[in-house]
Amino acid sequence: MVTNLPAAPTPDDAALWHAGRLYLTDQRLLPERAEFLVLDDAGSVAIAIRDMVVRGAPAIGVAAAYGVVLAGRDAYQSAGAGWKEAIRPDLDRLREARPTAVNLAWAVRRMARLIAGLDGADPAPALLAEALAIHEEDRAANRRMGDLGAELIAGPTDIITHCNAGAIATGGYGTALGVVRSAYAAGKIGRVYADETRPWMQGARLTAWELMHAGIPVTLQADGAAASLMAGGGIGWVIVGSDRIAANGDVANKIGTYGLAVVARYHGVKVMVAAPTSTVDMELASGTGIPIEERDPEELLSCGGRRLAPAGCAARNPVFDVTPAALVDAIVTERGVVMAPNAAKMRALMG
């Protein structure tokens, strides 16, 4: 909970709770404008998640937790002691807002466990305390991951990142970019090469904005330019986040990560995935079971409101792909690091 709301969002302000309302940095507007979208009900939070106002698995989870607070408040106001029945549609709406990011279902499930133990009294105070705990735990986890990931980098070296796994995608500090922040502070990273990350351009719009805000040298490149950059030498790591990690260490991340990992293996560049344990789905044996969200083909057929492809052209727009564990050198979580991940090592990590 913030007592003094920032005049304008910073990268660490993806989601803030202030004066009984949820403030989300509208990531669709960045970097041109940094503005909050103010939400008062769970349905609006679900729409904001679906429409990419907030994105990044940890940030989606945090936003969903606050959405449950709003749902509980409204359910109690409308149904009194019968609020537990009244809240169910909002829980379903939040849970179903986006399918791939496991943190969304994890956060709603954690809030639902709390709900199960409450009585008919006003649930809002207890729900808010839990949502704030989820938010603070994510911030702390990111800083821990940053330190653990930085320890793996011999440095100094340049790195490549894909999509955006920074503070704006989390409760604060960042996962992949949290590692970058910690490693840069330790003198281990010279420059970050950020893939633009079509079609939503999260690398161009968000990662470049975050790193420039932090004073970390960043160079933007087209997604297809990574291979030639690696061939020239000087790249020690690819560092990315994840939206879901299967029980065997397979990793779902933004579309293009799989190809980047294949190219990295060919060039002897290591791949690090930084994600909290809330992103690990031990109920899925492998990445083949991860649901892959497909978004509107218009995101590919047009750009900036201008049609690029000919009329009638078909397009496929998967938002994520799955990188096999065999191509991942390290998974970094707040609980520890898994080198060369496999099912046995993931079970040991998750206890």
Side-chain angles (χ1 to χ4, degrees), residues 22 24-28 37-55 59-60 63-64 66-68 70 89-99 104 108 200 293 295 299:
L22 176 60
L24 296 178
T25 299
D26 193 337
Q27 299 187 36
R28 301 168 302 180
L37 185 67
V38 187
L39 305 176
D40 290 303
D41 63 90
S44 297
V45 177
I47 292 170
I49 292 171
R50 184 195 68 201
D51 290 351
M52 305 274 281
V53 171
V54 60
R55 32 72 47 205
I60 288 172
Y66 287 127
V68 176
L70 296 170
D90 275 338
L91 295 183
D92 292 340
R93 194 173 293 117
L94 287 165
R95 189 183 295 109
E96 295 165 3
R98 290 191 71 187
L104 174 59
V108 176
W200 269 72
E293 178 184 358
R295 293 184 64 86
E299 294 176 358

Side-chain angles (χ1 to χ4, degrees), residues 238-260:
V238 168
I239 305 177
V240 297
S242 175
D243 286 76
R244 189 177 300 214
I245 300 173
N248 69 340
D250 291 349
V251 173
N253 193 50
K254 186 56 58 183
I255 190 72
T257 304
Y258 179 23
L260 188 61

Side-chain angles (χ1 to χ4, degrees), residues 63-117:
Y66 287 127
V68 176
V69 180
L70 296 170
R73 184 176 68 190
D74 289 347
Y76 185 73
Q77 288 175 351
S78 65
W83 68 267
K84 285 190 181 183
E85 186 66 27
I87 200 176
R88 287 183 182 178
D90 275 338
L91 295 183
D92 292 340
R93 194 173 293 117
L94 287 165
R95 189 183 295 109
E96 295 165 3
R98 290 191 71 187
T100 302
V102 73
N103 301 63
L104 174 59
W106 171 86
V108 176
R109 189 165 57 245
R110 175 166 163 177
M111 298 295 284
R113 285 198 300 268
L114 173 64
I115 288 170

Side-chain angles (χ1 to χ4, degrees), residues 282-301:
M282 294 301 289
E283 296 181 3
L284 286 180
S286 74
T288 59
I290 297 176
I292 300 299
E293 178 184 358
E294 295 243 5
R295 293 184 64 86
D296 188 348
E298 279 301 317
E299 294 176 358
L300 286 179
L301 298 171

Side-chain angles (χ1 to χ4, degrees), residues 58 75-76 81 85 90 97 110 140-141 143 147-148 150 158 160 169 180 193 219 267 280 286 303 311 335 337-338:
Y76 185 73
E85 186 66 27
D90 275 338
R110 175 166 163 177
R143 288 192 173 274
D147 292 341
L148 290 173
D158 294 341
I160 296 173
V180 169
Y193 288 88
T219 296
H267 289 97
V280 179
S286 74
C303 185
R335 293 190 189 179
V337 176
V338 178

